[in-house]
Amino acid sequence: NRPAKPGGKSMPLPRLVDTVNALAHMLVSGIDKWSSREDEQVASSQHLRLACFHPAPVLERMRTEQTFQLGKLQKKCVTLVLINLEDLSAISAEMEPDKVAAILSDYYDVVRKTVFRFEGMLCFVQGAVALAAFGIPFSKENEADRAIICAQRCQRDCTALLHQMLPPDKVCDIKVTVN
């Protein structure tokens, strides 16, 4: 046995030799990427968290592209789309909580699907407000066009949803801002 590191455990010599042999074999056979189970669990957890905000093709590109680094600062031109259900608070005060939760859930679903269809990123969702960004993490030449079309579709689809879910005497406007 090797002496233990301060605060660490010692590794039996046969296990150390096996580990070194396995690494040498990996290098010789051309396997140059290796990660521990803990690293894979962290990556899987990170992937699940990002799946709420990015469409599947963007996640796959983030995973496979070596030039992409999460958290790396870059200068980019980004188009933002803000979608807001106006007056939902006033209307929801007179409704059952489960009905309000159903409306918000369906609203988020419509917004998420629409943003993902136009390859945007869902940045923020809270209450009756959703914020989408186009141009991050990857840029394309038509970001602004896709953002404007997405904003129009969100407004159209969310208005149709509210007409289905709200009583006829309740009116809730959809305010969409593109910047």
Side-chain angles (χ1 to χ4, degrees):
N1 285 350
R2 295 180 26 239
K5 295 181 190 175
K9 295 181 180 180
S10 63
M11 179 182 275
L13 186 60
R15 185 169 176 201
L16 179 63
V17 170
D18 288 344
T19 303
V20 170
N21 283 336
L23 290 171
H25 177 70
M26 288 169 60
L27 290 172
V28 168
S29 62
I31 299 172
D32 58 354
K33 290 185 178 180
W34 178 81
S35 63
S36 67
R37 286 190 181 129
E38 293 84 17
D39 292 342
E40 290 172 5
Q41 289 172 346
V42 167
S44 175
S45 172
Q46 185 179 43
H47 178 79
L48 288 174
R49 285 193 308 269
L50 291 174
C52 297
F53 302 101
H54 298 283
V58 172
L59 285 175
E60 183 60 25
R61 186 172 171 195
M62 287 168 64
R63 189 182 67 75
T64 58
E65 223 175 81
Q66 293 179 351
T67 58
F68 177 76
Q69 293 178 352
L70 191 62
K72 181 181 174 188
L73 297 178
Q74 297 177 347
K75 185 176 180 179
K76 294 196 177 222
C77 183
V78 177
T79 305
L80 300 175
V81 177
L82 181 76
I83 305 111
N84 186 11
L85 295 177
E86 296 274 310
D87 303 322
L88 184 66
S89 298
I91 293 170
S92 65
E94 303 168 6
M95 297 173 65
E96 293 294 320
D98 58 337
K99 181 69 173 173
V100 175
I103 290 170
L104 284 173
S105 177
D106 289 352
Y107 161 71
Y108 295 147
D109 194 45
V110 166
V111 169
R112 182 183 54 80
K113 286 179 181 176
T114 306
V115 168
F116 285 6
R117 186 177 333 132
F118 291 97
E119 299 178 33
M121 173 187 162
L122 201 53
C123 299
F124 176 81
V125 176
Q126 183 175 357
V129 177
L131 178 67
F134 293 80
I136 53 174
F138 302 106
S139 297
K140 288 189 173 182
E141 67 281 348
N142 61 347
E143 301 299 341
D145 295 337
R146 288 186 295 114
I148 291 169
I149 295 169
C150 176
Q152 292 171 337
R153 297 275 170 86
C154 280
Q155 189 167 31
R156 182 193 69 190
D157 295 347
C158 289
T159 300
L161 172 75
L162 291 176
H163 283 303
Q164 289 176 350
M165 298 191 80
L166 288 176
D169 61 326
K170 306 292 183 205
V171 178
C172 185
D173 291 326
I174 309 292
K175 183 177 179 183
V176 180
T177 307
V178 179
N179 187 3

